[in-house]
Amino acid sequence: MNTSLLTLASEFEQRESLHLPDVVVPMNDLAMAHDGSVVVPGLGNAVMTKWAATQIAHTFGYRERWFDTVPTTERPVEITKRFRSSSKTVRLRVARQAGSDRPVLRAFVSKSYSAVPDSVVCVAIQHALSGLGDPPVVRAHITDMSTTWVVKIGEPFKLGGPGNVGEVFGTLTIRNSDVGFASLLVAASLLRIACLNGLILPAADSTLLSR
């Protein structure tokens, strides 16, 4: 992968255009429908992501594989009972499915939770690095839980003479999550090419920002 920060920010904006306003609701107002979706007041039946289902399993003391082992006919009754007995108020991170109006329940987070959009982080990094030209994004990994991307800084160099093995180059690694999976992290690293097969090892690492 080799793309620009502004191109990556545009891709993030397209994903974020599917996001809906958060819903802050008492958990005892929620219920699970027979199809496994969560009935959200004012929103309708929202399909849970795997991460949201994992959060619910942990909240109610189930194992992560509980949804895979309990018969589908029993899940709505068990989950709804636990929803009804809860006194918590939660913030629901929701979106709409591409090509569909049906909502997706992305995460259960605390009512005070405040997310930092990936597009905002990406543009901020681009502005901070604008004096270096247009540093390329050499790696990006996007899931329902988090995003991680790596920006190459400057040109590779090698102490002690020419050759590919041993070349060192600088990077910024950015990790973010808007569903409570991980905090925002920006880390500066020096990476070293360890062999011609492409093995890359960290030479040094320092965290610049952690939120």
Side-chain angles (χ1 to χ4, degrees):
M1 178 181 186
N2 203 327
T3 189
S4 71
L5 281 164
L6 290 181
T7 298
L8 184 62
S10 179
E11 293 178 9
F12 286 148
E13 288 172 352
Q14 290 179 11
R15 287 169 52 88
E16 290 160 7
S17 68
L18 297 174
H19 295 178
L20 298 172
D22 292 351
V23 178
V24 178
V25 62
M27 190 171 275
N28 57 21
D29 282 351
L30 302 175
M32 177 169 280
H34 291 294
D35 63 356
S37 61
V38 175
V39 184
V40 181
L43 185 67
N45 290 32
V47 180
M48 286 192 295
T49 63
K50 186 175 180 180
W51 170 239
T54 297
Q55 288 180 302
I56 280 297
H58 286 176
T59 297
F60 294 148
Y62 299 126
R63 292 185 175 183
E64 289 188 21
R65 294 191 299 170
W66 183 84
F67 285 93
D68 298 326
T69 57
V70 173
T72 55
T73 55
E74 296 180 15
R75 295 177 201 167
V77 176
E78 291 296 323
I79 293 296
T80 298
K81 282 196 304 184
R82 283 157 178 76
F83 277 145
R84 300 302 190 203
S85 64
S86 175
S87 60
K88 294 175 59 177
T89 296
V90 293
R91 178 180 296 272
L92 306 182
R93 301 285 288 158
V94 291
R96 60 182 176 85
Q97 293 178 339
S100 171
D101 291 331
R102 190 169 193 187
V104 176
L105 178 48
R106 304 175 60 228
F108 297 82
V109 293
S110 69
K111 63 180 180 179
S112 61
Y113 181 84
S114 178
V116 182
D118 290 319
S119 60
V120 172
V121 176
C122 200
V123 170
I125 295 293
Q126 192 274 333
H127 286 171
L129 300 179
S130 59
L132 301 176
D134 190 16
V137 178
V138 295
R139 183 177 302 172
H141 183 62
I142 302 172
T143 71
D144 289 337
M145 297 184 294
S146 67
T147 57
T148 303
W149 65 98
V150 179
V151 183
K152 185 178 178 182
I153 306 296
E155 297 297 325
F157 65 93
K158 181 176 186 295
L159 299 176
N164 292 324
V165 174
E167 280 190 347
V168 175
F169 57 94
T171 66
L172 282 182
T173 299
I174 301 95
R175 182 201 65 202
N176 192 31
S177 172
D178 65 353
V179 292
F181 176 74
S183 60
L184 172 61
L185 179 75
V186 180
S189 304
L190 289 176
L191 300 183
R192 177 173 58 86
I193 300 176
C195 73
L196 292 178
N197 290 332
L199 177 63
I200 298 176
L201 299 174
D205 181 83
S206 63
T207 300
L208 297 183
L209 177 127
S210 180
R211 178 183 181 274

